[in-house]
Amino acid sequence: QQPVQSPQAVILREGEDAVINCSSSKALYSVHWYRQKHGEAPVFLMILLKGGEQKGHEKISASFNEKKQQSSLYLTASQLSYSGTYFCGTVEEYGNKLVFGAGTILRVKS
Amino acid sequence: KAGVTQTPRYLIKTRGQQVTLSCSPISGHRSVSWYQQTPGQGLQFLFEYFSETQRNKGNFPGRFSGRQFSNSRSEMNVSTLELGDSALYLCASSLAGTDYEQYFGPGTRLTVT
């Protein structure tokens, strides 16, 4: 079951904040976040596990609401380098298949 | 350490032909996953291999198959190519599966004419 991401695209100015959301209709074990810059491979940002454990980069902030099967990625004081497509991936409870959403295109302008 | 490598990087095939793509994971990684990426569809999961066994499979037709060798290198095969198979095929390796960071390769761009 592919997770649903919102918004589909967002344009920011440098220094502004953004939130990218990811939701699933299935009970989740973990949520994963990746960023892909144009012409490059996706790069790992964070894993959020059921129970509260998080693995990822210190400068990235995200939340995982286990009751609502929702996750949000928080991008604060955005920089030009934040531009790219953000993908959330989910692993269902009792499953071990990582399925990605359609992505959110983020563009930061100077 | 060396990253994930994929060969070839670009490929042009004709409808009806078959193709084999290769992925060499990071040394020590035992899990290799394959994804198809097309504009607007995100990353569509194809399959995951772990220690030479297919552990998971996505919703793709049987024309898509794969395998993993004892050195963790993986190949993906698509038979009877269709125009809709044109896409970027990405492989990702990890230590042992979805509890770990996935390292993606640069992808193979397949064009079917």
Side-chain angles (χ1 to χ4, degrees):
Chain A
Q1 187 87 19
Q2 186 178 37
V4 177
Q5 290 186 234
S6 64
Q8 289 185 320
V10 59
I11 300 175
L12 300 173
R13 290 203 175 275
E14 276 186 295
E16 292 182 337
D17 301 337
V19 180
I20 300 173
N21 301 302
C22 175
S23 65
S24 174
S25 60
K26 302 286 188 180
L28 299 176
Y29 168 71
S30 63
V31 179
H32 304 232
W33 288 97
Y34 285 77
R35 177 174 61 208
Q36 184 179 31
K37 292 182 179 288
H38 183 70
E40 300 180 7
V43 173
F44 170 79
L45 295 176
M46 176 168 285
I47 295 175
L48 302 102
L49 300 168
K50 185 177 179 178
E53 184 181 355
Q54 295 185 5
K55 308 177 190 178
H57 297 279
E58 294 177 358
K59 294 187 177 180
I60 297 293
S61 173
S63 65
F64 177 19
N65 186 323
E66 297 172 25
K67 289 184 179 179
K68 293 186 176 181
Q69 313 309 325
Q70 294 175 347
S71 177
S72 295
L73 183 70
Y74 304 99
L75 301 166
T76 57
S78 59
Q79 305 169 18
L80 293 175
S81 62
Y82 287 10
S83 294
T85 301
Y86 289 77
F87 292 100
C88 87
T90 56
V91 177
E92 293 179 14
E93 203 168 28
Y94 310 118
N96 53 11
K97 186 164 61 174
L98 177 58
V99 179
F100 286 94
T104 294
I105 299 171
L106 178 76
R107 182 181 166 202
V108 180
K109 300 195 300 183
S110 58
Chain B
K1 55 185 174 182
V4 178
T5 58
Q6 292 187 244
T7 56
R9 293 292 311 279
Y10 302 91
L11 207 49
I12 300 176
K13 290 285 188 179
T14 304
R15 271 185 304 175
Q17 289 185 316
Q18 75 166 22
V19 66
T20 299
L21 312 182
S22 180
C23 172
S24 292
I26 291 172
S27 178
H29 285 192
R30 297 168 64 190
S31 168
V32 174
S33 297
W34 288 89
Y35 292 88
Q36 181 195 66
Q37 185 171 31
T38 52
Q41 292 297 314
L43 301 162
Q44 300 289 312
F45 175 76
L46 282 155
F47 27 65
E48 183 211 359
Y49 285 86
F50 180 81
S51 293
E52 302 180 64
T53 301
Q54 187 181 88
R55 190 157 65 173
N56 284 296
K57 191 176 190 306
N59 298 323
F60 278 80
R63 299 185 296 106
F64 292 81
S65 63
R67 58 179 176 168
Q68 186 181 34
F69 301 95
S70 58
N71 61 357
S72 292
R73 190 177 70 85
S74 177
E75 287 183 347
M76 187 192 107
N77 185 274
V78 187
S79 63
T80 319
L81 284 165
E82 300 177 0
L83 294 178
D85 296 333
S86 295
L88 179 67
Y89 291 88
L90 293 161
C91 86
S93 78
S94 72
L95 277 172
T98 56
D99 277 2
Y100 299 87
E101 176 178 351
Q102 305 287 313
Y103 292 81
F104 283 84
T108 294
R109 173 73 63 183
L110 172 65
T111 302
V112 182
T113 62

